[in-house]
Each structure stands twice: as structure tokens, then as C-alpha cells.
Amino acid sequence: MDLYEHQARELFEEHGILVPRAEVTDSPKEARGIARRLGGRAVVKAQVKTGGRGKAGGVKLAADPAAAELTARQILGMDIKGHTVRKVMLAQPVDIEDEFYVSYVLDRAAGHFLAIASAEGGMDIEEVAASRPDAVARIPVDPAEGVTSAKAAEIAEAAGLPPQTVDVLVRLWEVLTREDALLVEVNPLVRTAQGRILALDGKVTLDDNARFRQERWGEKDAPHDDPLEAAAAARGLNYVKLDGEVGVIGNGAGLVMSTLDVVAGCGARPANFLDIGGGASARIMADGLSVVLSDPAVKSVLVNVFGGITACDAVAEGIVQALESVRLTKPLVVRLDGNNAVRGRAVLDDRAHPLVHQATTMDGAARRAARLATAD
Ligand SMILES: Nc1ncnc2c1ncn2[C@@H]1O[C@H](COP(=O)(O)OP(=O)(O)OP(=O)(O)O)[C@@H](O)[C@H]1O
Ligand SMILES: [Mg+2]
């Protein structure tokens, strides 16, 4: 789970990293009061779980409390990369001398953490990393050893950061390990005109496997803006809304992703990603079908199941039972293969629903679903 900037800021503060004074609100009126408490001027910042807020107009300096109210009104409700801004944070403006970039991220493939740091932080860090990779230091961190002062000094030196950042690098490692994070990023970490080092923006991704230890951040991630995603999440489904017209249901994330590719390869566009997982019950199938069918953009639905541990006849029974509770209004193409596929196909043949079509291969099924979706 990703944290909001204001939550990351709270964690940094708890671990002794300096941050600007700040408060969060969802009301422009309150924003005015907060700016007054901060001394008049304030940086008004959209709280959304996506990057590039500044470039999207979601980070603005307000010169006085009245301007803070106006700016908060502009930013609240704004859409930034599909995320609606529901809260803003007002932070005390800091006199920036230098902007740095620092992060720790888990490198799963290599089996260790990676410290990434640059003396050229700020909003253009992606561009710096792409055009001048030498300006970004990447130092492996052994998880058993962690970031000691000596390791932090090595990271600072490699990135060209001033020695005052060493203490912050050690504390940031504490945030990562003590808070069960997979990623912590500070961009920018700044040096002020007075020589202090402050974290002006933070991103923290927590390890969901440790959620039971992190209850303070709540059970669920940000509410879904998309009503279909919200309906799917309420039923515990792994669903992502996409822009196309072929509804896709499959078992296993890898299979569903390749199904999306194959649908696209047939000249249609997938309407969603939906992984019903292994052992898909009739209930899950019914829930999945009802969510996918309630998408008005969907013209046909492709169910692609490869039976491994899951037996295809159980999936077919699930589809038949789902057809009792969900009124099928659009053609459904089913491809069953693997464990008990023959029996599964027989179950669907017996049901003989006029809108249910069967295909024996994934390509054949995708072609059929694409044709049904694009016909008329
Ligand atoms: N409290 C502050 N005082 C002065 N300048 C600030 C403050 N907070 C942010 N800024 C300036 O605004 C820039 C953008 O802010 P920030 O890093 O929070 O947003 P962003 O990088 O666009 O967001 P994201 O990291 O989500 O892409 C910073 O690089 C910094 O120059
Ligand atoms: Mg930033």
C-alpha cells in the first residue's frame, strides 16, 4: 500500500527527519486558517497517490492566507492522472539552496535493497536519470547489514551529497525497516540557506504482508474513483477497469495479462483485467460476471480458464450457477483447457445457453470475442 505524502511526512518526523511544518485539510476555508498558523505563506499540495503533482499544477505557493484558500479551492477536486484530489496539505515554505534525491527500494531480482541517490533532485529527476545516468548513484544495500553511518557516508559520497545528509540516510533506512516499507523516497531532500537538511516530499510503499502490524494506516487503500472498481473491490475481486469493449475474466494474473494481449492482437480492446484466482467458486464467477456485465462499454465477455489445481468442470458449474443469478445480456465466449476440460465443456454444452459460445484455444476464443464485440 502506498501512503499519502502527509502520512510519509508523519513517519519521517517520527524517525527524527526534519520536515516543514504542515497540516492537511479538505476545506478551502480551513486552508486559510492553516496558512495563517504557518505564518501566512504556504505551499498548497495535492494529496494523491501518484507522482508528477507539481507538473500537473497540484503544488502551488500561496503568498498569504486568502491566496491559500483560493489555491486550495483550485486544487481540491482536480484530477491528477486519474486520481481525484480530496485533500491538500499546506506546508511552510522553505528557503531551498539545493535539491537532492534519495530512495531505498527493494531489488527483488538481486535479493538486496538499493540506495538510489542524486545531487540533482527535484521535479526533473526522471529526465536526469534518463539523459545522464551517471548523475544518479545506485548502491546495493545488504539487508542484513543495513545502512550504518559508514554505509550512509558511502552513499552520500557516491551521489555527491553533502555530509549533513548522512544522518538522514541512516534515519530513512530506519523508516524502511521499522515501518515495514518496500520503498521510501524523498524528492526533494533539500539543503536550506541555513544549511539544514529537510525532506520536502515523501513517498512510502508499505509491504502488504505486514499490514496486520500497520493498522494505523487503515485497512484499505484510497477509495476507488471508478464505480466498477469500487463494486469489484467490495466483492474482493482483483479487477482493473480498462478502456475497451471485451470483458476479460481469467484465473491467474499471468494468464489474464496474456489474454489482454491476445484480445488486443485480434484488433479489439480489453475492457478490464479480472483475475478470479484459483479454485474459482460459483459465487466468485457470479460476482465477476455481474461486475464485468455492468460495464456499459462491454460488448462481449471472454472467460479464459486454464485448469491446473482448479478443475474446469467446477468452473463450468460455477458459470452455469452464475447464469442463474446474473442475467446474461451480452455474448460470453468460454475457453476451458487443462484439468477436466472435456467434462467442463460438456457441462456448458448441456446448459446450451444461446449467448454462451465455446472455443478450445485461447487465440480462437479471443478472435471470437473480438469479432462479437466489434460486429454491428
Ligand atoms: N515546503 C516547500 N517549500 C518550498 N518549496 C517546496 C516545498 N514543497 C515543495 N516545494 C517545491 O515544489 C517542488 C515540487 O514539490 P513536490 O516534490 O512535493 O511535488 P512533485 O515532485 O511534483 O510531486 P511528486 O513527487 O508526487 O512527483 C519541489 O521540488 C520543491 O522545489
Ligand atoms: Mg517530489
Side-chain angles (χ1 to χ4, degrees):
M1 173 170 81
D2 292 340
L3 297 184
Y4 286 103
E5 177 195 13
H6 68 91
Q7 297 172 324
R9 178 192 166 280
E10 199 176 308
L11 281 183
F12 295 165
E13 194 172 34
E14 284 170 16
H15 287 271
I17 296 169
L18 290 181
V19 290
R21 276 176 59 204
E23 289 182 52
V24 181
T25 181
D26 58 4
S27 129
K29 281 234 153 50
E30 269 178 42
R32 179 192 281 251
I34 295 171
R36 207 176 293 125
R37 281 197 287 284
L38 294 175
R41 293 164 70 233
V43 182
V44 186
K45 310 179 77 173
Q47 297 299 288
V48 280
K49 295 182 177 183
T50 183
R53 295 168 304 160
K55 288 189 175 153
V59 177
K60 290 220 165 95
L61 178 68
D64 55 53
E69 176 175 340
L70 208 71
T71 307
R73 187 159 284 136
Q74 278 169 5
I75 294 179
L76 285 163
M78 194 183 247
D79 178 282
I80 300 183
K81 298 184 187 162
H83 298 249
T84 308
V85 181
R86 301 186 196 283
K87 288 191 173 157
V88 288
M89 182 173 92
L90 286 92
Q92 200 161 47
V94 167
D95 231 345
I96 301 174
E97 188 93 351
D98 281 308
E99 295 194 319
F100 313 123
Y101 173 94
V102 297
S103 67
Y104 296 120
V105 58
L106 178 62
D107 184 345
R108 287 181 194 275
H112 55 60
F113 284 88
L114 206 55
I116 305 175
S118 172
E120 299 182 42
M123 292 199 284
D124 293 322
I125 185 69
E126 285 85 3
E127 201 192 302
V128 171
S131 61
R132 282 178 303 115
D134 290 353
V136 180
R138 302 162 70 90
I139 312 269
V141 177
D142 183 331
E145 285 166 23
V147 177
T148 56
S149 297
K151 187 75 191 183
E154 180 192 335
I155 296 165
E157 162 135 23
L161 306 183
Q164 303 100 292
T165 58
V166 168
D167 177 58
V168 178
L169 286 166
V170 172
R171 289 174 193 271
L172 202 59
W173 179 258
E174 282 172 19
V175 174
L176 180 90
T177 49
R178 303 243 176 98
E179 307 296 337
D180 297 315
L182 296 173
L183 165 98
V184 294
E185 180 190 82
V186 183
N187 185 38
L189 178 72
V190 303
R191 176 165 56 188
T192 67
Q194 297 76 35
R196 295 197 308 161
I197 305 292
L198 271 89
L200 287 204
D201 179 22
K203 178 166 181 209
V204 172
T205 304
L206 300 179
D207 184 347
D208 283 336
N209 295 308
R211 188 164 287 185
F212 67 98
R213 286 201 294 235
Q214 301 293 339
E215 279 164 359
R216 66 187 271 204
W217 307 118
E219 269 305 301
K220 288 217 184 74
D221 220 329
H224 293 266
D225 288 335
D226 184 276
L228 287 164
E229 288 189 357
R235 293 171 162 99
L237 294 170
N238 229 334
Y239 173 95
V240 181
K241 172 84 181 92
L242 301 171
D243 291 332
E245 56 287 325
V246 178
V248 174
I249 302 176
N251 65 329
L255 181 65
V256 177
M257 285 198 278
S258 26
T259 308
L260 303 184
D261 285 344
V262 174
V263 166
C266 293
R269 292 177 313 161
N272 67 276
F273 171 100
L274 173 54
D275 170 20
I276 53 170
S281 66
R283 170 88 259 133
I284 296 176
M285 186 54 87
D287 282 349
L289 271 178
S290 73
V291 169
V292 171
L293 290 168
S294 64
D295 177 352
V298 163
K299 298 278 183 352
S300 71
V301 181
L302 169 55
V303 175
N304 187 14
V305 169
F306 187 83
I309 295 167
T310 309
C312 287
D313 53 336
V315 174
E317 296 287 359
I319 294 172
V320 169
Q321 283 179 43
L323 291 174
E324 304 288 315
S325 56
V326 180
R327 203 170 71 84
L328 195 59
T329 48
K330 296 155 186 174
L332 184 71
V333 180
V334 183
R335 175 258 183 166
L336 299 173
D337 204 353
N339 184 8
N340 277 358
V342 174
R343 257 190 262 167
R345 289 179 202 145
V347 168
L348 290 180
D349 281 340
D350 286 349
R351 176 62 180 77
H353 191 292
L355 283 174
V356 176
H357 310 259
Q358 291 206 66
T360 48
T361 67
M362 177 153 152
D363 286 337
R367 265 198 304 277
R368 187 94 187 249
R371 212 176 310 127
L372 287 163
T374 47
D376 78 345

